[in-house]
Amino acid sequence: MVREQYVTTTQGSSSPRSVPDSVYKIGIYGWRKRCLYLFVLLLIIILVVNFALTIWILRVMWFNTEGMGHLQVNTEGVKLEDGESEFLFPLYAQEIHSREDHSLLVHSMENVSLNARNENGDVTGRISVGPTEAQGHTRNLLINSHNDNMLFMADGDQAVIGPDKLRITGPEGALFQHSVEVPLLKSELLKDLRLESPTRSLSFEAPKGVHFKALAGNIEVASNMDIILQSSIGLLVLDAETVRMPSLPLSEGGAPGNAQGLYEVCVCSSGKLFLSKAGVTSTCSENQEC
């Protein structure tokens, strides 16, 4: 509060005459002052609440100088000492390792997808494991053993199995739509080996020969039509103690000059050997020698 006093003098008189004092008030008073105090008090309350919430969050989340709770952040990356991690969005990482005494488990309510990208951001490889199926998309698939030996390799042209032995344990065996190239094909002990083609022909080819061996059983060849044993250069050898043809027709004795009931063994120019009735035209009767 400032008080000012003005002194005036009249002409012809030397004594001053006093003027009524005037008082001027400087500052905030009344309801403005009360509102200002209320606003300052509200700011102090908000600051105290925020500070208390910050302290509570730090204590609940276990923030420390090394990270947050069991999650440690260091120069090597992020390490979770104990517990489980849940990611709500995609995770980008160079390497993911499990703890030394635990296995690495990845769970998802829908599916788990792993994508590999190049420098342009394009997906070059993908593995997706869903509730009903697992899919993989890549140019080359390579599976190695613990000692870095190739177990399985596949690309767009072929599939290669690295181990020396491939074992198929299914009750229906294996179904191949095209040709199969193997050095050895055998069955398990005390079980039969069957090779069949229900609607087409079945052929065996090898540059140095095809060998069939049964150490403790029989070898049976059955066909709905013809069975042809053909050798282009060598001989056809039936080496056994006894060679039986139980369904071979027997010729009946007849009068000379009568060919009824007689059979002939004929050899065609192509090298085929077959049995036909005498005097009956066969499919190879043009260039046959009987």
Side-chain angles (χ1 to χ4, degrees):
M1 180 182 298
V2 179
R3 183 184 297 272
E4 295 181 357
Q5 185 177 5
Y6 297 90
V7 179
T8 61
T9 58
T10 58
Q11 189 176 7
S13 176
S14 59
S15 60
R17 185 178 62 181
S18 60
V19 180
D21 297 338
S22 300
V23 179
Y24 297 93
K25 296 180 179 180
I26 300 176
I28 300 174
Y29 299 93
W31 64 271
R32 294 184 180 88
K33 184 177 182 180
R34 291 190 295 269
C35 289
L36 179 60
Y37 288 162
L38 181 61
F39 180 71
V40 173
L41 180 61
L42 182 60
L43 286 180
I44 294 174
I45 294 174
I46 293 176
L47 289 177
V48 172
V49 172
N50 287 337
F51 183 75
L53 289 177
T54 303
I55 298 299
W56 178 76
I57 292 175
L58 291 177
R59 291 182 61 85
V60 170
M61 301 301 294
W62 295 355
F63 279 103
N64 50 53
T65 57
E66 296 181 354
M68 182 179 63
H70 297 292
L71 187 64
Q72 298 180 1
V73 181
N74 48 34
T75 56
E76 298 179 355
V78 180
K79 182 178 181 181
L80 182 63
E81 290 292 341
D82 192 9
E84 298 180 357
S85 300
E86 182 177 357
F87 301 95
L88 302 180
F89 296 98
L91 173 64
Y92 298 90
Q94 184 178 2
E95 295 182 2
I96 299 177
H97 300 275
S98 64
R99 291 188 293 272
E100 295 181 357
D101 55 345
H102 292 78
S103 59
L104 179 62
L105 300 178
V106 181
H107 299 276
S108 176
M109 297 299 295
E110 293 296 332
N111 58 0
V112 178
S113 300
L114 302 178
N115 297 332
R117 301 178 182 271
N118 55 12
E119 61 276 4
N120 298 326
D122 300 330
V123 177
T124 57
R126 176 184 304 169
I127 297 178
S128 178
V129 180
T132 57
E133 62 180 1
Q135 296 182 358
H137 302 273
T138 182
R139 294 181 179 178
N140 299 321
L141 176 61
L142 179 62
I143 301 177
N144 294 331
S145 63
H146 65 280
N147 52 3
D148 204 19
N149 292 330
M150 190 266 291
L151 298 179
F152 181 80
M153 190 273 291
D155 54 15
D157 298 330
Q158 63 179 353
V160 180
I161 299 175
D164 297 335
K165 182 184 296 185
L166 174 63
R167 183 178 180 183
I168 301 175
T169 59
E172 298 295 331
L175 176 63
F176 301 97
Q177 296 182 358
H178 302 284
S179 61
V180 181
E181 182 179 351
V182 292
L184 177 62
L185 187 63
K186 65 179 182 179
S187 64
E188 294 183 358
L189 296 177
L190 304 178
K191 291 187 178 181
D192 298 335
L193 176 63
R194 298 180 58 186
L195 302 175
E196 60 181 14
S197 177
T199 59
R200 294 295 184 268
S201 60
L202 184 63
S203 61
F204 302 90
E205 298 179 1
K208 292 186 178 181
V210 179
H211 300 274
F212 298 93
K213 178 184 286 188
L215 298 178
N218 301 328
I219 296 178
E220 298 181 3
V221 180
S223 175
N224 187 33
M225 298 181 67
D226 299 335
I227 297 178
I228 301 175
L229 302 177
Q230 181 179 358
S231 177
S232 58
I233 299 177
L235 301 176
L236 179 61
V237 180
L238 300 177
D239 186 3
E241 182 179 356
T242 304
V243 178
R244 296 181 180 180
M245 298 181 182
S247 300
L248 186 65
L250 298 177
S251 298
E252 298 177 358
N258 186 9
Q260 186 177 2
L262 300 179
Y263 293 88
E264 296 177 345
V265 178
C266 300
V267 180
C268 297
S269 58
S270 60
K272 295 182 180 180
L273 178 67
F274 63 94
L275 185 68
S276 64
K277 285 187 177 183
V280 179
T281 304
S282 61
T283 56
C284 192
S285 60
E286 297 179 356
N287 299 319
Q288 64 184 8
E289 297 179 358
C290 301

